[in-house]
Amino acid sequence: QVQLVESGGGLVQAGGSLRLSCAASGRTFSNYAMGWFRQAPGKEREFVASIPWSGGITNYADSVKGRFTISTDNAKNTVYLQMNSLKPEDTAVYSCAAGPISYGTRRANAYRYWGQGTQVTVSS
C-alpha cells in the first residue's frame, strides 16, 4: 500500500530554518509529481511547492519563493522541503502529496496520495 510519512516539523523562531522530509513507499513514483501543501487553522489548504519525482521544473507559491526549496532523493525514496527565513505566517500543518502526473501542479485534486502532515510552528 502506498504510504507517505512526513517528519521534521517543530517549533522554530522567526528567521530560523526547518527541513521537512516525506518518506514514500508502496510503489514506484517515476511517473509521479510530488507536492507540499499546508493548512493553517481556520484557513483553506494552500499549495506550497511541487517537483516531478524524477526531477524537472519546480513550482513554488509566491509566498515561499526564494525561501523554500523542494527536492527529491530517489535512492532514499524521500522528498524534502527546506524552509529558510521562516515567518510566523508559515505556521501550519504541512502535508506531502503524490499524484500520477509527470509535472508539478498547484491543484490539490491532482494528487492521489497524502501523508498525515507535520506541524510547523514559527514564533515571533
Side-chain angles (χ1 to χ4, degrees):
Q1 185 175 355
V2 173
Q3 188 173 36
L4 305 177
V5 181
E6 302 96 334
S7 62
L11 175 65
V12 65
Q13 292 185 342
S17 298
L18 285 173
R19 190 188 194 191
L20 305 183
S21 298
C22 173
S25 62
R27 65 160 296 134
T28 59
F29 294 90
S30 59
N31 295 322
Y32 273 57
M34 310 300 295
W36 286 96
F37 293 79
R38 66 186 183 186
Q39 187 168 25
K43 301 181 68 176
E44 62 185 10
R45 184 168 53 193
E46 177 188 24
F47 168 82
V48 177
S50 68
I51 186 172
W53 176 261
S54 299
I57 299 175
T58 55
N59 290 297
Y60 297 95
D62 289 341
S63 59
V64 307
K65 194 173 299 181
R67 300 187 297 119
F68 291 10
T69 302
I70 187 172
S71 63
T72 62
D73 186 335
N74 297 151
K76 295 182 178 180
N77 290 332
T78 301
V79 182
Y80 302 99
L81 184 68
Q82 178 67 47
M83 306 185 296
N84 298 326
S85 301
L86 283 163
K87 305 174 181 179
E89 49 263 46
D90 294 320
T91 296
V93 174
Y94 284 71
S95 299
C96 177
I101 49 181
S102 59
Y103 55 91
T105 178
R106 296 170 178 262
R107 290 179 13 255
N109 288 340
Y111 295 88
R112 180 174 297 174
Y113 304 105
W114 292 81
Q116 296 187 38
T118 184
Q119 176 70 48
V120 172
T121 302
V122 184
S123 62
S124 301

